[in-house]
Amino acid sequence: MKLFDVYPLNNITITRAKGSNVWDENGVQYLDMYGGHAVISIGHTHPHWVKRIEEQLEKIAFYSNSIIIPIQAQLAEKLGKVSGKENYQLFLCNSGAEANENALKLASFHNGKKKVVAFSKSFHGRTSLAVAATDNPSIVAPVNETDNIIFLPFNDEAALTACFEKHGDEISSVIIEGIQGVGGIILANTSFLQLIRTLCDKHNAVYIADSVQCGYGRSGQFFAHDYAGVNADIYSMAKGMGNGFPIGGILIAPHIKAKYGLLGTTFGGNHLACAAALAVLEVIEQDGLINHAKELGAYITEELKGIEGIQNVRGRGLMIGFDVPEDLKELKKTLLTEFKVFTGEAKPNVIRLLPSLALTKAHADEFLTALKGAVALLKAK
Ligand SMILES: Cc1ncc(COP(=O)(O)O)c(C=O)c1O
């Protein structure tokens, strides 16, 4: 049998990883400024994370959600503390798309309404409603098409206000990334998020903060949306939550009430996933990684601004993007092949940096040196 060929691959096989480094089958070392797609939060194979998973594996890995699983409550408590959303409720699932799917569905159960407001260049995942709310027609199958989604321009306050004036009675939820990832590292304006809060309150709609990529401390706050100083009703999470162990979840404000059977999943919240997620939060807390991400991110951003050739450096914490002009269009490839550095991208010309939150200053400097070298190499061609 062959694999279903949906991923354009780099011709590299990674066999070992530690912290912010990975090694290929020939022992060649790479610096991971991509964090395996924003997933590696505390560092590859972090010893505390490995130990917690191993210890849990010896006891019990999985049992269904029909019994008491105390480690779920421990995770909820720790997450409340680290995120500062102590009075929220936690529902656990397995991925980012599933988190958003549940968030959108729960919002609709809650207020009985059907329309969802989403924004240009958004990415919310590939399940039916999440993909319908994603601004990329090429990944929306005919069966996913629905007229329940209203797309508006990102950060356009007048358009949002006008939309609520017209459709306020029908709008169930507004879903927005605090920093658009796939869209190219675009920050939601503070005043825009505040307006979403105000309009949702006024029209009994649910504010959903998609924090799958920009959440979990990456931005230098637990949720990037926190920079606006207002709370969302639901936060969706995944990626960094398990440091590579698949787990997702939603944080749900206290006024949204649970009912037996409303949401459910077989694998969500299993013992092993919770052990991995607890290990991540323990390390984030003990090592002060959120503040570290903020400070190191500010340093990298400042240094990047001084590099001639790259443009529009932007981001928060360790979620950083910059534009690559035409003469440097091979930059990402050159960094990988010549300088052994993984970075992310956003089409057509953005390089995305999404390293582990435990990236060291030495690694940051190593990256900046490599980047300068790659730019110089390309300019000399
Ligand atoms: C903002 C955002 N939401 C949702 C998702 C979907 O997450 P997953 O791939 O875990 O389903 C992603 C994935 O890149 C994302 O960046």
Side-chain angles (χ1 to χ4, degrees):
M1 190 188 285
K2 284 201 305 185
L3 294 172
F4 198 53
D5 191 13
V6 288
Y7 301 111
L9 298 178
N10 293 302
N11 189 20
I12 297 174
T13 307
I14 301 293
T15 52
R16 195 159 62 85
K18 184 101 214 139
S20 289
N21 286 118
V22 297
W23 288 264
D24 72 11
E25 56 197 339
N26 303 313
V28 175
Q29 179 176 308
Y30 294 79
L31 176 63
D32 187 8
M33 294 298 290
Y34 175 49
H37 205 65
V39 165
I40 302 303
S41 45
I42 58 170
H44 290 279
T45 61
H46 190 289
H48 181 65
W49 177 84
V50 171
K51 183 161 164 274
R52 263 245 184 222
I53 294 173
E54 278 177 355
E55 282 175 2
Q56 188 59 51
L57 201 49
E58 295 286 345
K59 291 188 213 145
I60 177 170
F62 175 82
Y63 203 81
S64 94
N65 278 307
S66 61
I67 47 121
I68 297 170
I69 303 179
I71 197 169
Q72 291 182 349
Q74 289 167 31
L75 174 58
E77 186 165 345
K78 182 62 108 186
L79 189 49
K81 190 165 166 244
V82 179
S83 69
K85 314 284 178 207
E86 263 152 318
N87 59 346
Y88 279 56
Q89 311 153 82
L90 173 65
F91 176 76
L92 290 162
C93 57
N94 310 283
S95 71
E98 205 187 329
N100 284 329
E101 196 77 21
N102 278 295
L104 293 162
K105 190 192 213 185
L106 181 58
S108 180
F109 274 134
H110 172 70
N111 55 24
K113 299 195 274 181
K114 283 189 182 172
K115 299 264 187 230
V116 172
V117 172
F119 298 99
S120 51
K121 294 188 119 189
S122 60
F123 185 91
H124 299 298
R126 291 167 182 269
T127 55
S128 63
L129 202 46
V131 84
T134 288
D135 183 21
N136 180 355
S138 72
I139 62 167
V140 180
V143 73
N144 304 132
E145 283 166 16
T146 162
D147 54 14
N148 282 330
I149 313 288
I150 305 170
F151 281 104
L152 297 178
F154 194 65
N155 279 334
D156 186 333
E157 295 182 19
L160 184 67
T161 307
C163 178
F164 265 97
E165 265 163 26
K166 203 161 165 213
H167 303 287
D169 293 352
E170 299 164 87
I171 295 171
S172 170
S173 59
V174 177
I175 184 164
I176 183 166
E177 296 157 77
I179 303 172
Q180 290 190 326
V182 175
I185 313 291
I186 314 198
L187 277 67
N189 291 340
T190 292
S191 58
F192 194 61
L193 296 178
Q194 289 167 347
L195 181 64
I196 291 175
R197 177 69 279 162
T198 306
L199 291 169
C200 283
D201 283 342
K202 188 168 164 205
H203 295 273
N204 183 29
V206 174
Y207 167 15
I208 300 172
D210 182 341
S211 302
V212 169
Q213 187 166 150
C214 60
Y216 246 77
R218 175 158 297 286
S219 71
Q221 294 263 13
F222 194 83
F223 294 117
H225 303 75
D226 288 344
Y227 280 99
V230 291
N231 281 323
D233 299 308
I234 304 179
Y235 296 87
S236 58
M237 309 161 292
K239 294 198 189 290
M241 193 173 182
N243 195 46
F245 199 101
I247 180 167
I250 49 177
L251 288 191
I252 306 155
H255 69 276
I256 300 178
K257 302 293 178 209
K259 190 169 95 180
Y260 289 156
L262 197 65
L263 304 177
T265 155
T266 297
F267 292 123
N270 66 76
H271 297 76
L272 208 48
C274 288
L278 258 177
V280 168
L281 288 172
E282 284 159 358
V283 173
I284 286 181
E285 197 179 36
Q286 268 162 33
D287 295 355
L289 290 186
I290 301 181
N291 205 37
H292 175 72
K294 188 185 219 158
E295 288 174 8
L296 191 61
Y299 168 73
I300 295 173
T301 304
E302 266 323 291
E303 292 294 312
L304 286 172
K305 284 180 179 162
I307 298 180
E308 218 176 300
I310 64 169
Q311 297 166 347
N312 301 324
V313 179
R314 58 202 181 257
R316 273 189 168 130
L318 289 172
M319 185 161 182
I320 302 169
F322 53 86
D323 295 343
V324 175
E326 188 58 27
D327 61 332
L328 297 179
K329 66 173 191 301
E330 296 293 306
L331 188 58
K332 182 174 184 293
K333 201 167 135 208
T334 306
L335 277 168
L336 183 58
T337 55
E338 308 294 321
F339 293 84
K340 309 298 175 203
V341 177
F342 277 97
T343 54
E345 69 182 336
K347 298 269 182 310
N349 67 333
V350 180
I351 287 196
R352 264 195 290 172
L353 305 178
L354 303 158
S356 152
L357 308 186
L359 186 81
T360 61
K361 165 97 171 14
H363 277 141
D365 286 333
E366 189 186 321
F367 165 68
L368 291 162
T369 305
L371 183 64
K372 284 175 201 160
V375 169
L377 194 70
L378 290 169
K379 290 233 180 235
K381 276 193 180 166

mmCIF file of all heavy atoms in Angstrom, residues 37 94-98 100 123-127 177 179-182 210-214 236 238-239 352, ligand 1:
data_model
loop_
_atom_site.group_PDB
_atom_site.id
_atom_site.type_symbol
_atom_site.label_atom_id
_atom_site.label_comp_id
_atom_site.label_asym_id
_atom_site.label_seq_id
_atom_site.Cartn_x
_atom_site.Cartn_y
_atom_site.Cartn_z
ATOM 1 N N HIS A 37 5.869 22.880 13.172
ATOM 2 C CA HIS A 37 4.605 23.568 12.903
ATOM 3 C C HIS A 37 3.934 24.092 14.182
ATOM 4 O O HIS A 37 2.756 23.813 14.461
ATOM 5 C CB HIS A 37 3.648 22.646 12.125
ATOM 6 C CG HIS A 37 2.632 23.407 11.311
ATOM 7 N ND1 HIS A 37 2.987 24.202 10.260
ATOM 8 C CD2 HIS A 37 1.295 23.511 11.419
ATOM 9 C CE1 HIS A 37 1.902 24.749 9.747
ATOM 10 N NE2 HIS A 37 0.866 24.358 10.439
ATOM 11 N N ASN A 94 -8.907 16.242 20.493
ATOM 12 C CA ASN A 94 -7.652 15.693 19.977
ATOM 13 C C ASN A 94 -6.875 16.563 18.999
ATOM 14 O O ASN A 94 -5.752 16.221 18.663
ATOM 15 C CB ASN A 94 -7.938 14.357 19.282
ATOM 16 C CG ASN A 94 -8.758 13.446 20.156
ATOM 17 O OD1 ASN A 94 -8.233 12.847 21.078
ATOM 18 N ND2 ASN A 94 -10.050 13.375 19.903
ATOM 19 N N SER A 95 -7.465 17.617 18.493
ATOM 20 C CA SER A 95 -6.766 18.426 17.480
ATOM 21 C C SER A 95 -7.360 19.826 17.446
ATOM 22 O O SER A 95 -8.412 20.087 18.046
ATOM 23 C CB SER A 95 -6.921 17.784 16.101
ATOM 24 O OG SER A 95 -8.256 17.934 15.669
ATOM 25 N N GLY A 96 -6.710 20.681 16.668
ATOM 26 C CA GLY A 96 -7.174 22.059 16.552
ATOM 27 C C GLY A 96 -8.499 22.172 15.826
ATOM 28 O O GLY A 96 -9.393 22.928 16.233
ATOM 29 N N ALA A 97 -8.625 21.425 14.733
ATOM 30 C CA ALA A 97 -9.873 21.476 13.976
ATOM 31 C C ALA A 97 -11.039 21.009 14.850
ATOM 32 O O ALA A 97 -12.112 21.624 14.869
ATOM 33 C CB ALA A 97 -9.768 20.589 12.737
ATOM 34 N N GLU A 98 -10.782 19.943 15.589
ATOM 35 C CA GLU A 98 -11.838 19.401 16.437
ATOM 36 C C GLU A 98 -12.213 20.398 17.549
ATOM 37 O O GLU A 98 -13.393 20.519 17.920
ATOM 38 C CB GLU A 98 -11.339 18.090 17.053
ATOM 39 C CG GLU A 98 -12.436 17.144 17.438
ATOM 40 C CD GLU A 98 -11.888 15.944 18.207
ATOM 41 O OE1 GLU A 98 -10.746 15.526 17.960
ATOM 42 O OE2 GLU A 98 -12.624 15.452 19.070
ATOM 43 N N ASN A 100 -12.049 23.703 17.302
ATOM 44 C CA ASN A 100 -12.873 24.759 16.688
ATOM 45 C C ASN A 100 -14.257 24.238 16.312
ATOM 46 O O ASN A 100 -15.255 24.951 16.453
ATOM 47 C CB ASN A 100 -12.166 25.336 15.461
ATOM 48 C CG ASN A 100 -11.034 26.263 15.863
ATOM 49 O OD1 ASN A 100 -11.102 26.920 16.902
ATOM 50 N ND2 ASN A 100 -9.989 26.308 15.062
ATOM 51 N N PHE A 123 -7.599 30.664 9.069
ATOM 52 C CA PHE A 123 -7.483 29.199 8.976
ATOM 53 C C PHE A 123 -7.950 28.616 10.299
ATOM 54 O O PHE A 123 -7.408 28.933 11.357
ATOM 55 C CB PHE A 123 -6.024 28.766 8.705
ATOM 56 C CG PHE A 123 -5.920 27.281 8.493
ATOM 57 C CD1 PHE A 123 -6.027 26.734 7.222
ATOM 58 C CD2 PHE A 123 -5.753 26.408 9.573
ATOM 59 C CE1 PHE A 123 -5.964 25.351 7.020
ATOM 60 C CE2 PHE A 123 -5.694 25.029 9.380
ATOM 61 C CZ PHE A 123 -5.795 24.508 8.104
ATOM 62 N N HIS A 124 -8.975 27.742 10.241
ATOM 63 C CA HIS A 124 -9.502 27.169 11.478
ATOM 64 C C HIS A 124 -9.503 25.650 11.483
ATOM 65 O O HIS A 124 -9.987 25.038 12.438
ATOM 66 C CB HIS A 124 -10.912 27.710 11.754
ATOM 67 C CG HIS A 124 -10.947 29.200 11.929
ATOM 68 N ND1 HIS A 124 -10.261 29.843 12.940
ATOM 69 C CD2 HIS A 124 -11.545 30.184 11.207
ATOM 70 C CE1 HIS A 124 -10.455 31.158 12.834
ATOM 71 N NE2 HIS A 124 -11.232 31.388 11.797
ATOM 72 N N GLY A 125 -9.007 25.011 10.414
ATOM 73 C CA GLY A 125 -8.933 23.553 10.412
ATOM 74 C C GLY A 125 -9.709 22.943 9.267
ATOM 75 O O GLY A 125 -10.286 23.668 8.444
ATOM 76 N N ARG A 126 -9.725 21.611 9.211
ATOM 77 C CA ARG A 126 -10.232 20.929 8.025
ATOM 78 C C ARG A 126 -11.479 20.080 8.258
ATOM 79 O O ARG A 126 -11.883 19.338 7.364
ATOM 80 C CB ARG A 126 -9.113 20.068 7.433
ATOM 81 C CG ARG A 126 -7.999 20.918 6.832
ATOM 82 C CD ARG A 126 -6.773 20.102 6.543
ATOM 83 N NE ARG A 126 -5.692 20.910 6.012
ATOM 84 C CZ ARG A 126 -5.469 21.136 4.712
ATOM 85 N NH1 ARG A 126 -6.263 20.620 3.809
ATOM 86 N NH2 ARG A 126 -4.452 21.869 4.336
ATOM 87 N N THR A 127 -12.063 20.137 9.448
ATOM 88 C CA THR A 127 -13.353 19.454 9.641
ATOM 89 C C THR A 127 -14.458 20.338 9.065
ATOM 90 O O THR A 127 -14.207 21.486 8.686
ATOM 91 C CB THR A 127 -13.595 19.171 11.134
ATOM 92 O OG1 THR A 127 -13.483 20.406 11.839
ATOM 93 C CG2 THR A 127 -12.590 18.161 11.672
ATOM 94 N N GLU A 177 -8.551 34.338 14.984
ATOM 95 C CA GLU A 177 -7.214 34.070 15.531
ATOM 96 C C GLU A 177 -6.658 35.377 16.112
ATOM 97 O O GLU A 177 -6.813 36.430 15.495
ATOM 98 C CB GLU A 177 -6.272 33.595 14.413
ATOM 99 C CG GLU A 177 -6.655 32.278 13.770
ATOM 100 C CD GLU A 177 -6.080 32.139 12.367
ATOM 101 O OE1 GLU A 177 -4.880 31.854 12.226
ATOM 102 O OE2 GLU A 177 -6.837 32.318 11.398
ATOM 103 N N ILE A 179 -3.495 36.067 16.403
ATOM 104 C CA ILE A 179 -2.501 36.373 15.365
ATOM 105 C C ILE A 179 -2.735 35.327 14.276
ATOM 106 O O ILE A 179 -2.647 34.123 14.548
ATOM 107 C CB ILE A 179 -1.048 36.241 15.879
ATOM 108 C CG1 ILE A 179 -0.809 37.134 17.100
ATOM 109 C CG2 ILE A 179 -0.052 36.562 14.760
ATOM 110 C CD1 ILE A 179 0.542 36.914 17.793
ATOM 111 N N GLN A 180 -3.067 35.773 13.082
ATOM 112 C CA GLN A 180 -3.278 34.798 12.005
ATOM 113 C C GLN A 180 -1.954 34.128 11.668
ATOM 114 O O GLN A 180 -0.950 34.809 11.438
ATOM 115 C CB GLN A 180 -3.843 35.489 10.763
ATOM 116 C CG GLN A 180 -5.276 35.966 10.958
ATOM 117 C CD GLN A 180 -5.915 36.437 9.656
ATOM 118 O OE1 GLN A 180 -5.229 36.993 8.794
ATOM 119 N NE2 GLN A 180 -7.213 36.225 9.522
ATOM 120 N N GLY A 181 -1.987 32.801 11.646
ATOM 121 C CA GLY A 181 -0.773 32.038 11.373
ATOM 122 C C GLY A 181 -0.618 31.719 9.897
ATOM 123 O O GLY A 181 0.231 32.296 9.204
ATOM 124 N N VAL A 182 -1.476 30.823 9.413
ATOM 125 C CA VAL A 182 -1.447 30.434 8.000
ATOM 126 C C VAL A 182 -1.604 31.682 7.114
ATOM 127 O O VAL A 182 -1.019 31.786 6.034
ATOM 128 C CB VAL A 182 -2.566 29.399 7.718
ATOM 129 C CG1 VAL A 182 -2.655 29.068 6.240
ATOM 130 C CG2 VAL A 182 -2.329 28.127 8.535
ATOM 131 N N ASP A 210 -9.705 31.599 18.474
ATOM 132 C CA ASP A 210 -8.919 30.458 17.976
ATOM 133 C C ASP A 210 -7.469 30.663 18.397
ATOM 134 O O ASP A 210 -6.747 31.495 17.851
ATOM 135 C CB ASP A 210 -9.037 30.357 16.447
ATOM 136 C CG ASP A 210 -8.264 29.150 15.896
ATOM 137 O OD1 ASP A 210 -7.379 28.640 16.615
ATOM 138 O OD2 ASP A 210 -8.532 28.737 14.752
ATOM 139 N N SER A 211 -7.077 29.882 19.387
ATOM 140 C CA SER A 211 -5.732 30.013 19.952
ATOM 141 C C SER A 211 -4.888 28.791 19.639
ATOM 142 O O SER A 211 -3.906 28.512 20.330
ATOM 143 C CB SER A 211 -5.848 30.214 21.464
ATOM 144 O OG SER A 211 -6.635 31.353 21.727
ATOM 145 N N VAL A 212 -5.283 28.063 18.612
ATOM 146 C CA VAL A 212 -4.600 26.809 18.273
ATOM 147 C C VAL A 212 -3.124 27.058 17.967
ATOM 148 O O VAL A 212 -2.253 26.326 18.428
ATOM 149 C CB VAL A 212 -5.307 26.123 17.080
ATOM 150 C CG1 VAL A 212 -4.474 24.968 16.538
ATOM 151 C CG2 VAL A 212 -6.690 25.637 17.505
ATOM 152 N N GLN A 213 -2.844 28.116 17.207
ATOM 153 C CA GLN A 213 -1.446 28.398 16.863
ATOM 154 C C GLN A 213 -0.851 29.521 17.728
ATOM 155 O O GLN A 213 0.290 29.432 18.160
ATOM 156 C CB GLN A 213 -1.339 28.783 15.373
ATOM 157 C CG GLN A 213 0.100 28.922 14.925
ATOM 158 C CD GLN A 213 0.280 28.958 13.413
ATOM 159 O OE1 GLN A 213 1.207 29.583 12.936
ATOM 160 N NE2 GLN A 213 -0.557 28.290 12.659
ATOM 161 N N CYS A 214 -1.635 30.560 18.002
ATOM 162 C CA CYS A 214 -1.078 31.731 18.696
ATOM 163 C C CYS A 214 -1.189 31.623 20.207
ATOM 164 O O CYS A 214 -0.715 32.502 20.922
ATOM 165 C CB CYS A 214 -1.757 33.008 18.193
ATOM 166 S SG CYS A 214 -3.537 33.043 18.462
ATOM 167 N N SER A 236 -10.060 28.079 21.803
ATOM 168 C CA SER A 236 -9.694 26.756 21.298
ATOM 169 C C SER A 236 -8.177 26.607 21.339
ATOM 170 O O SER A 236 -7.448 27.571 21.113
ATOM 171 C CB SER A 236 -10.213 26.555 19.876
ATOM 172 O OG SER A 236 -9.693 27.555 19.025
ATOM 173 N N ALA A 238 -4.673 23.663 20.829
ATOM 174 C CA ALA A 238 -4.133 22.344 20.419
ATOM 175 C C ALA A 238 -2.609 22.502 20.342
ATOM 176 O O ALA A 238 -1.994 22.839 21.347
ATOM 177 C CB ALA A 238 -4.731 21.871 19.105
ATOM 178 N N LYS A 239 -2.036 22.295 19.156
ATOM 179 C CA LYS A 239 -0.593 22.420 18.904
ATOM 180 C C LYS A 239 0.318 22.330 20.155
ATOM 181 O O LYS A 239 0.701 21.240 20.531
ATOM 182 C CB LYS A 239 -0.303 23.689 18.125
ATOM 183 C CG LYS A 239 -0.887 23.644 16.703
ATOM 184 C CD LYS A 239 -0.246 24.663 15.816
ATOM 185 C CE LYS A 239 -0.952 24.798 14.478
ATOM 186 N NZ LYS A 239 -0.775 23.636 13.599
ATOM 187 N N ARG A 352 7.764 32.227 8.470
ATOM 188 C CA ARG A 352 7.159 32.198 9.801
ATOM 189 C C ARG A 352 8.115 31.524 10.764
ATOM 190 O O ARG A 352 8.585 30.416 10.490
ATOM 191 C CB ARG A 352 5.881 31.339 9.754
ATOM 192 C CG ARG A 352 4.614 32.099 9.566
ATOM 193 C CD ARG A 352 3.414 31.239 9.904
ATOM 194 N NE ARG A 352 3.148 30.177 8.973
ATOM 195 C CZ ARG A 352 2.237 29.229 9.173
ATOM 196 N NH1 ARG A 352 1.528 29.222 10.284
ATOM 197 N NH2 ARG A 352 2.011 28.288 8.273
HETATM 198 C C1 LIG B 1 -5.227 28.881 13.849
HETATM 199 C C2 LIG B 1 -5.410 27.415 13.585
HETATM 200 N N1 LIG B 1 -6.594 26.836 13.871
HETATM 201 C C3 LIG B 1 -6.806 25.533 13.659
HETATM 202 C C4 LIG B 1 -5.834 24.716 13.131
HETATM 203 C C5 LIG B 1 -6.113 23.269 12.892
HETATM 204 O O1 LIG B 1 -5.419 22.474 13.795
HETATM 205 P P1 LIG B 1 -5.203 20.913 13.500
HETATM 206 O O2 LIG B 1 -4.281 20.806 12.333
HETATM 207 O O3 LIG B 1 -4.619 20.388 14.786
HETATM 208 O O4 LIG B 1 -6.547 20.339 13.224
HETATM 209 C C6 LIG B 1 -4.583 25.276 12.814
HETATM 210 C C7 LIG B 1 -3.519 24.432 12.214
HETATM 211 O O5 LIG B 1 -2.562 24.887 11.618
HETATM 212 C C8 LIG B 1 -4.376 26.654 13.034
HETATM 213 O O6 LIG B 1 -3.200 27.245 12.728
#
